[in-house]
Amino acid sequence: MISKAQVIQPFLPATLTPGEQAEAFAPSNIALCKYWGKRDKELNLPINASLSVSLAHLGSRTRITPALDGADHVLLNGTELAVDSSFARKVIAFVGLFRGTLAQPLIIDTHNNIPTAAGLASSASGFAALMLALDQFYGLQLAPEQLSAFARMGSGSASRSIFSGFVEWQMGNREDGMDSHAVQLPATWPELRIGLVKVATGEKKVDSRAGMQRTVETAHLYQSWPLQAAADLTRLHDAIVEQNFELLGATAEQNALSMHATMIASWPPLLYWQPESVAAMQQVWALREQGVPVYFTMDAGPNLKLLFTAEHEAVLSAAFPDLEVVAPFGQP
Ligand code: 2P0
């Protein structure tokens, strides 16, 4: 197995010249075709390609400055984290891949403007923003594909958060993973809306990393997942090119439910849904029967993300009173 450091080393300059400070923003993203399962756990290389839409101005802003007291500091939304907390350890390990023998202590300060109530994961935007900030701080001048491939090593879905709009994370087949990076699709869809339905926001018992590993190792149903994902990816490309909302929504919903089916078929079983998640799904299906074109997707958690177009925003905001609406391509 190749290590992250072995992959990154050849892309770093012989001597690093750190700046005085760097700051970068990366958007959160919602997958329409999910990343679920790894062929390489060290490098976060996926078993299937995935496709997402980035959430415009919602995401993470990360600032890097030198620490003058000889120790690293990791701050999240203004609060310093214990250096042995899970997030701080991951951040410090990731930074260590780039600062090499320089070993200069840093302050890494991240602010998420994702509505905390929406229960959206922040590791994707967090590692993408950190990668962009490190690139600036050390003057690495990495190409976008390299930034995406390296962000992936922090968290798989971070590879997609390097870009805005519709983004495909190509799975690649190289052992060092340098062809497993995201690309931005040349498409826009100003009327597209994503509605965040909050069911619960507490920390989940099994995180996605452990959840996908358990699924790969124990669910026979998982064998069908790569085929489902490949077919869905093609359908999503068609939907985006044709601006066919029904095809986009139906494909995303079936893809999410197929992923959840593999989780439920794992052992011990993995069910991220709460009773309120199922109630919200049934409400979406009832609205569709009444003629409202609305679909949902879900990640490794109980919350729903609704997909609809601007003309139906009022009816959906009435049906889901706490709906948080995002326009991924800005207001038309
Ligand atoms: C996705 N998820 O495509 C899928 C759907 C969750 C369900 O990407 O282990 O936090 O850091 O590579 O990126 C969440 O997985 O996992 C995720 P790691 P990550 O959005």
Side-chain angles (χ1 to χ4, degrees), residues 55-210:
L55 295 189
H57 59 284
L58 292 184
S60 304
R61 181 170 293 283
T62 297
R63 189 160 187 265
I64 297 178
T65 47
L68 304 176
D69 63 355
D72 287 321
H73 297 272
V74 179
L75 288 86
L76 186 59
N77 295 334
T79 303
E80 178 150 8
L81 304 180
V83 280
D84 60 350
S85 70
S86 153
F87 183 70
R89 280 211 315 263
K90 280 188 204 167
V91 165
I92 291 169
F94 190 76
V95 168
L97 295 168
F98 297 91
R99 71 178 150 194
T101 51
L102 207 59
Q104 171 198 32
L106 298 173
I107 301 169
I108 300 132
D109 187 3
T110 301
H111 285 264
N112 294 327
N113 68 358
I114 306 160
T116 43
L120 278 179
S122 53
S123 73
S125 55
F127 277 102
L130 177 58
M131 183 64 249
L132 292 168
L134 286 167
D135 183 61
Q136 269 185 39
F137 189 75
Y138 291 123
L140 304 179
Q141 298 187 297
L142 294 167
E145 296 76 22
Q146 295 162 350
L147 292 166
S148 171
F150 294 164
R152 162 182 40 79
M153 297 184 202
S155 192
S157 49
S159 65
R160 302 187 306 239
S161 277
I162 293 291
F163 301 102
S164 58
F166 289 115
V167 178
E168 180 181 341
W169 172 12
Q170 301 170 340
M171 57 185 285
N173 56 24
R174 283 173 59 132
E175 208 189 339
D176 69 359
M178 286 312 292
D179 56 352
S180 183
H181 59 74
V183 294
Q184 187 174 14
L185 302 183
T188 177
W189 199 324
E191 302 79 22
L192 187 68
R193 295 291 179 272
I194 294 180
L196 310 171
V197 179
K198 183 191 86 167
V199 168
T201 53
E203 196 139 319
K204 46 197 175 198
K205 286 200 199 100
V206 182
D207 66 15
S208 338
R209 188 163 293 193

Side-chain angles (χ1 to χ4, degrees), residues 238-286:
D238 290 347
I240 291 167
V241 169
E242 298 162 12
Q243 302 267 296
N244 179 340
F245 176 72
E246 265 76 16
L247 184 60
L248 184 94
T251 305
E253 186 173 308
Q254 194 180 13
N255 181 272
L257 289 171
S258 301
M259 174 183 73
H260 280 272
T262 70
M263 298 173 182
I264 296 166
S266 303
W267 199 262
L270 263 177
L271 183 69
Y272 286 104
W273 303 347
Q274 296 291 328
E276 297 83 358
S277 315
V278 177
M281 290 180 213
Q282 288 170 329
Q283 203 178 344
V284 167
W285 294 328

